[in-house]
């Protein structure tokens, strides 16, 4: 494969990471918590599409819509049951709870679907195009386009709608926002709903490009997407987008030119270097806390 092909594949993988990272960055930016169960919501969404499309023979678009609804409800339930009661306690308790929720979702999937790898059928209806001798798959085109549309739509939503402005207010000062009449719990729940819906889309796109599905499918992509969010500047939508794309390119180039076995180590090493140089990430802003 040529360098151009590797870059295109890197952009495709990075677009998936970016979509997942948007969920991380929104939840952290608004609720100031790290939802490490986010990666497993990806797995839930992929299994819903697998069940509805491959198992029940439904139209792929209907399967994706059901997946988005299921993941949205799952995200809101996770926030309401597991995280909301812990908002006033230490962040460590929330972090431990998130890990527990992650294992809970994985084990439920194990009980329902078993540990065997399922062959996921791509939901993309066309095979792709050929550009000057470089083959670009349909999954790659759809993934990159979907990522751009989501980032633009999310940016417009946050900046120009009433719920989006409420999110910005809560992210700045939740206490002051509540005094101004903003429903902070509802705003946080909406954030989880949006992030979980994006996780469903990311799960479908990921498994369409890499057609293997297990209860652990979302674990490593979820961790890498968190790395992408930190890389770009956690709390920043453009940062999640840029961080995801760069991480995908770095991973694919690392596999191609250095070592496929060392690709993950290279990704995390790059993150360490970036944080040593700029601890807030590429587009992150330093926040001074009053003591």
């Amino acid at each position: 494969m040529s360098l151009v092909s590797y870059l295109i594949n890197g952009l495709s993988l990075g677009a998936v990471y970016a979509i997942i990272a948007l969920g991380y960055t929104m939840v952290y930016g608004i609720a100031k918590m790290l939802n490490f169960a986010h990666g497993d919501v990806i797995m839930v969404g992929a299994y819903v599409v697998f069940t509805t499309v491959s198992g029940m023979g439904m139209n792929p678009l209907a399967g994706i819509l059901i997946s988005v609804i299921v993941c949205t409800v799952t995200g809101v339930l996770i926030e309401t049951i597991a995280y909301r009661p812990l908002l006033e306690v230490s962040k460590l308790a929330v972090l431990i709870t998130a890990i527990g929720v992650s294992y809970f979702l994985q084990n439920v999937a194990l009980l329902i679907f078993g540990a065997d790898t399922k062959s996921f059928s791509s939901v993309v209806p066309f095979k792709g195009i050929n550009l000057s001798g470089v083959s670009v798959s349909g999954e790659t085109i759809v993934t990159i386009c979907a990522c751009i549309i989501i980032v633009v739509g999310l940016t417009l939503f946050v900046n120009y709608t009433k719920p989006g402005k409420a999110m910005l207010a809560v992210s700045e000062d939740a206490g002051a926002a509540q005094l101004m009449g903003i429903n902070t719990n509802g705003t946080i729940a909406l954030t989880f709903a949006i992030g979980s819906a994006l996780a469903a889309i990311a799960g479908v796109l990921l498994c369409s490009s890499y057609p293997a599905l297990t209860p652990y499918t979302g674990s490593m992509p979820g961790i890498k997407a968190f790395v992408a969010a930190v890389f770009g500047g956690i709390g920043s939508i453009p940062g999640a987008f840029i961080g995801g794309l760069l991480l995908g390119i770095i991973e694919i180039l690392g596999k191609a030119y250095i070592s496929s076995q060392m690709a993950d180590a290279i990704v995390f090493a790059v993150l360490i270097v970036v944080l040593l140089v700029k601890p807030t990430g590429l587009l992150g802003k330093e926040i001074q806390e009053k003591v």
Side-chain angles (χ1 to χ4, degrees):
M1 292 177 66
S2 66
L3 175 61
V4 175
S5 297
Y6 289 131
L7 290 175
I8 292 173
N9 289 339
L11 286 174
S12 176
L13 180 60
V16 174
Y17 289 157
I19 295 172
I20 304 169
L22 287 170
Y24 275 115
T25 206
M26 287 185 67
V27 168
Y28 182 82
I30 293 166
K32 299 297 183 290
M33 66 174 65
L34 297 175
N35 178 24
F36 279 119
H38 189 61
D40 297 286
V41 178
I42 300 167
M43 172 268 296
V44 171
Y47 267 118
V48 171
V49 173
F50 173 80
T51 302
T52 54
V53 177
S54 299
M56 302 169 62
M58 293 180 64
N59 182 281
L61 288 178
I64 294 171
L65 179 59
I66 293 172
S67 175
V68 169
I69 293 171
V70 170
C71 286
T72 300
V73 173
T74 301
V76 173
L77 287 175
I78 289 172
E79 188 275 331
T80 304
I81 298 172
Y83 296 152
R84 187 177 297 179
L86 302 176
L87 286 178
E88 302 301 324
V89 301
S90 70
K91 300 299 180 185
L92 181 60
V94 178
L95 181 61
I96 294 171
T97 302
I99 296 171
V101 172
S102 173
Y103 281 114
F104 173 78
L105 292 176
Q106 289 176 13
N107 281 276
V108 169
L110 276 170
L111 288 172
I112 297 174
F113 299 101
D116 295 338
T117 301
K118 310 294 184 184
S119 181
F120 191 95
S121 299
S122 175
V123 298
V124 178
F126 59 94
K127 297 196 178 203
I129 58 175
N130 193 293
L131 296 174
S132 301
V134 177
S135 179
V136 183
S137 69
E139 288 81 9
T140 295
I141 296 170
V142 170
T143 300
I144 294 173
C145 291
C147 180
I148 293 171
I149 292 170
I150 287 170
V151 169
V152 172
L154 200 56
T155 302
L156 293 175
F157 173 80
V158 169
N159 290 314
Y160 297 103
T161 67
K162 188 175 181 180
K165 290 178 180 179
M167 289 179 179
L168 291 175
V170 174
S171 69
E172 288 292 331
D173 191 324
Q178 191 168 18
L179 289 174
M180 297 299 293
I182 294 174
N183 183 350
T184 55
N185 286 335
T187 301
I188 293 172
L190 177 61
T191 305
F192 271 84
I194 293 173
S196 298
L198 295 180
I201 296 172
V204 173
L205 294 172
L206 177 67
C207 290
S208 292
S209 298
Y210 304 90
L213 178 59
T214 74
Y216 308 104
T217 290
S219 297
M220 186 53 73
I223 293 172
K224 289 180 180 177
F226 172 68
V227 171
V230 176
F231 190 6
I234 195 162
S236 167
I237 292 175
F241 176 64
I242 294 173
L245 294 183
L246 288 176
L247 202 73
I249 292 172
I250 290 169
E251 181 175 339
I252 294 297
L253 291 180
K255 286 181 178 179
Y257 293 109
I258 301 175
S259 168
S260 59
Q261 296 178 338
M262 292 291 293
D264 292 345
I266 293 168
V267 166
F268 292 110
V270 170
L271 173 68
I272 292 170
V273 172
V274 170
L275 293 182
L276 286 173
V277 176
K278 197 172 190 299
T280 56
L282 297 177
L283 299 183
K285 296 179 180 179
E286 187 174 351
I287 300 175
Q288 296 183 352
E289 296 185 1
K290 294 181 179 179
V291 293

